[in-house]
Amino acid sequence: MTSPSTLTRSAEQLHTAVRWTRAQWLLLMVVCTVLALDGLDVSMVGVALPSIGHELHLGTDSLQWIVSAYVLGYGSLLLLGGRLADLLGRRRIFLIALTVFAAASLLGGLVNDPTLLIATRFVKGLAAAFTAPTGFSIITTNFAEGRERNKALSIFTTFGASGFSLGLVVGGLMTSLSWRWTFLVSVPIAVAVVLLGMLFIPRDKPSTEESGHDVWGAVTLALGMLGLVYTLVSAPEKGWGSVATIAGFAVSAAVLATFAVIENRVKHPLIRFGILREGWVARANLSAVGLFGSYLSFQFILTMYLQSVLGWSPLGMALALLPTGLLVATSAPFADRFIEKFGAPKLILTGLTAMGLGYVLFLRVGTSPNYVLDILPSVILLGIGFALAFPSINVQATAGIRDSEQGLAAGLIQTSTQVGAALVLAVTTALVSGHGTADGTSSTLSAAAMLDQYRPGLVLSAAVAIAALLVAASPARRRRALAEQPAA
């Protein structure tokens, strides 16, 4: 779900008509459908959380793992996924990973054990960590550099953003039948794409060059992030000063420190830390954590609030949030034109400002809100903010980076987006869990009590977005980024 740096190419390149063969169109649709499916899965399942919690008797702290397990699996191995595709063959990795995704979706829709359900989500995230970068590289190796590739990558990005944004609506429709359909609906689509991929994705030969595969870096990153998130989520129950909590933070820090040592010593690291000192890379990655972290956490709280506090149906909630999805989906095809005309830094600042304002306005809600006056303004502001900031942040993350490290910069921003979002969601859940009974489905809690329980999470979403805005607005880095923008 990322915007590649090629969106910053000139308008002349982007807008010139490109003629593709039927085979190229079919190949592009296969790859784009999978990216849309990845985005759809993240937001669609979020709508079903209250229903899942009610049927399986899960509290908020457990429900967040259904979301976090996916994004952690995705973010932890994303950097390694592209390299293994080069080693074993892009077509092979893409089809195998998509098959695993379909199998995990089927199992997730059938199980009743919460632990197994969470495990299937983690496996789906791991599968997506291979399909996303592999799909990207399939495009770059099958479409000629220049106008052809730029247009293909623009369409690729549009599918990902639209899938994530419209997942709320699809999730509402599926949950109105059963929460299990939010898992099962992906199965026939994934199976169909596997069959189409076998026909339309060209065979490629594995790389014979020694490019290096930082397996231990990927393992330590995954274990460190999992340990950190688990410690954050379990801290309210065990106590922030308990031995288990302190030990959890210490072990997680040690594992992540080991990851840093490995990256500084291995010949082909997953992350070359020096890249963070170039251009807007560091600030773009921090902005991505703030944008997606605040949005995913807000969505998590919002679905619980609308369904558990207000008693809305999943379909009613989905329709209420439809403006956000429509704004993102309809604006995505024009993201490159907006960036070229106004510059990515300006759009990042505008987008993060809109999102921060949307979160702050939502703090006014009570147990009997007026949708038009109390909810719709935030829904519109979040749609505008996400539509402007998300593609612009991804463009800035690769702006000014030499061609040999474009893949690294693109993988880094995807990892920051997913893993950072999981961390912010974990902190949100810790705040909610530490502010009363965490089971939003409990009938013993009044609507006012549940709203009070969720409010710290809403405050955190606003604070994270504002912090991201301050990072993006740093004068020194902003001037440098503006200097790198193409002339209007």
Side-chain angles (χ1 to χ4, degrees):
M1 268 185 318
T2 58
S3 296
S5 62
T6 49
L7 289 179
T8 58
R9 303 290 187 185
S10 66
E12 181 181 353
Q13 286 181 313
L14 285 169
H15 301 155
T16 302
V18 175
R19 294 181 179 180
W20 289 334
T21 65
R22 177 175 176 271
Q24 284 179 304
W25 273 112
L26 291 171
L27 169 64
L28 184 62
M29 289 302 100
V30 167
V31 175
C32 287
T33 300
V34 175
L35 188 67
L37 194 61
D38 290 343
L40 190 75
D41 195 84
V42 174
S43 55
M44 182 170 58
V45 172
V47 179
L49 291 177
S51 298
I52 295 173
H54 178 75
E55 182 171 327
L56 301 183
H57 308 290
L58 299 178
T60 305
D61 54 345
S62 298
L63 287 176
Q64 78 91 22
W65 274 106
I66 296 177
V67 179
S68 292
Y70 182 94
V71 295
L72 272 176
Y74 186 95
S76 298
L77 290 185
L78 187 62
L79 291 172
L80 187 64
R83 293 194 178 188
L84 288 183
D86 290 334
L87 176 67
L88 301 176
R90 298 178 184 88
R91 181 179 184 271
R92 178 185 303 173
I93 289 295
F94 187 84
L95 295 178
I96 291 175
L98 186 55
T99 301
V100 172
F101 185 95
S105 297
L106 178 61
L107 183 60
L110 299 177
V111 300
N112 290 312
D113 180 72
T115 302
L116 188 56
L117 178 63
I118 293 171
T120 64
R121 294 288 295 164
F122 184 70
V123 171
K124 290 176 73 172
L126 294 178
F130 288 91
T131 58
T134 304
F136 188 94
S137 62
I138 287 174
I139 289 178
T140 59
T141 54
N142 284 279
F143 291 85
E145 185 175 2
R147 293 190 299 271
E148 275 195 15
R149 185 181 298 176
N150 293 341
K151 181 178 179 180
L153 290 175
S154 179
I155 295 173
F156 185 67
T157 303
T158 298
F159 268 73
S162 300
F164 178 78
S165 301
L166 296 177
L168 293 171
V169 179
V170 178
L173 292 172
M174 295 298 101
T175 306
S176 63
L177 300 175
S178 169
W179 66 264
R180 297 182 183 277
W181 280 105
T182 60
F183 292 80
L184 297 175
V185 71
S186 300
V187 178
I189 300 175
V191 171
V193 176
V194 168
L195 297 176
L196 292 173
M198 295 174 66
L199 295 174
F200 302 118
I201 298 178
R203 295 182 181 274
D204 59 318
K205 295 181 179 180
S207 174
T208 57
E209 298 181 1
E210 178 54 44
S211 57
H213 306 281
D214 186 11
V215 176
W216 285 111
V219 170
T220 51
L221 175 61
L223 292 178
M225 297 308 298
L226 283 170
L228 182 57
V229 171
Y230 177 79
T231 303
L232 283 169
V233 173
S234 60
E237 179 183 354
K238 296 179 179 178
W240 289 95
S242 68
V243 174
T245 299
I246 295 174
F249 282 126
V251 171
S252 300
V255 174
L256 291 174
T258 302
F259 166 73
V261 172
I262 292 173
E263 298 309 283
N264 285 320
R265 294 185 177 183
V266 73
K267 185 177 180 180
H268 300 283
L270 287 178
I271 301 175
R272 182 181 69 81
F273 291 117
I275 197 175
L276 296 174
R277 296 192 296 269
E278 300 183 23
W280 242 71
V281 174
R283 272 166 168 67
N285 279 268
L286 290 174
S287 297
V289 171
L291 181 143
F292 200 64
S294 64
Y295 187 78
L296 192 64
S297 297
F298 179 79
Q299 178 182 306
F300 178 80
I301 295 295
L302 184 62
T303 56
M304 303 295 289
Y305 164 74
L306 292 179
Q307 295 184 64
S308 299
V309 176
L310 302 186
W312 289 16
S313 68
L315 180 58
M317 188 208 73
L319 293 176
L321 302 181
L322 180 60
T324 296
L326 291 178
L327 284 168
V328 176
T330 55
S331 66
F334 310 104
D336 57 316
R337 302 183 190 181
F338 293 154
I339 292 171
E340 181 194 352
K341 182 174 182 179
F342 300 105
K346 290 182 179 179
L347 294 181
I348 292 172
L349 294 175
T350 303
L352 289 174
T353 299
M355 295 191 75
L357 181 59
Y359 296 138
V360 170
L361 287 178
F362 196 81
L363 293 176
R364 305 171 301 156
V365 299
T367 56
S368 301
N370 181 292
Y371 173 74
V372 174
L373 298 178
D374 299 325
I375 297 177
L376 184 59
S378 293
V379 169
I380 293 176
L381 284 169
L382 293 181
I384 293 173
F386 196 89
L388 294 178
F390 186 70
S392 303
I393 286 174
N394 282 279
V395 166
Q396 281 301 94
T398 54
I401 303 301
R402 56 182 179 269
D403 290 344
S404 62
E405 291 193 321
Q406 283 290 325
L408 171 61
L412 186 60
I413 189 66
Q414 292 181 57
T415 302
S416 296
T417 298
Q418 298 295 336
V419 177
L423 286 177
V424 175
L425 179 58
V427 176
T428 300
T429 307
L431 286 175
V432 172
S433 299
H435 200 266
T437 305
D439 185 359
T441 64
S442 174
S443 60
T444 61
L445 289 178
S446 66
M450 283 191 284
L451 180 58
D452 287 341
Q453 171 189 322
Y454 296 141
R455 199 173 294 279
L458 297 174
V459 172
L460 179 64
S461 291
V464 169
I466 292 172
L469 174 61
L470 295 177
V471 168
S474 175
R477 294 300 179 95
R478 187 185 174 199
R479 284 195 297 271
R480 181 174 179 179
L482 285 170
E484 295 172 353
Q485 295 304 304

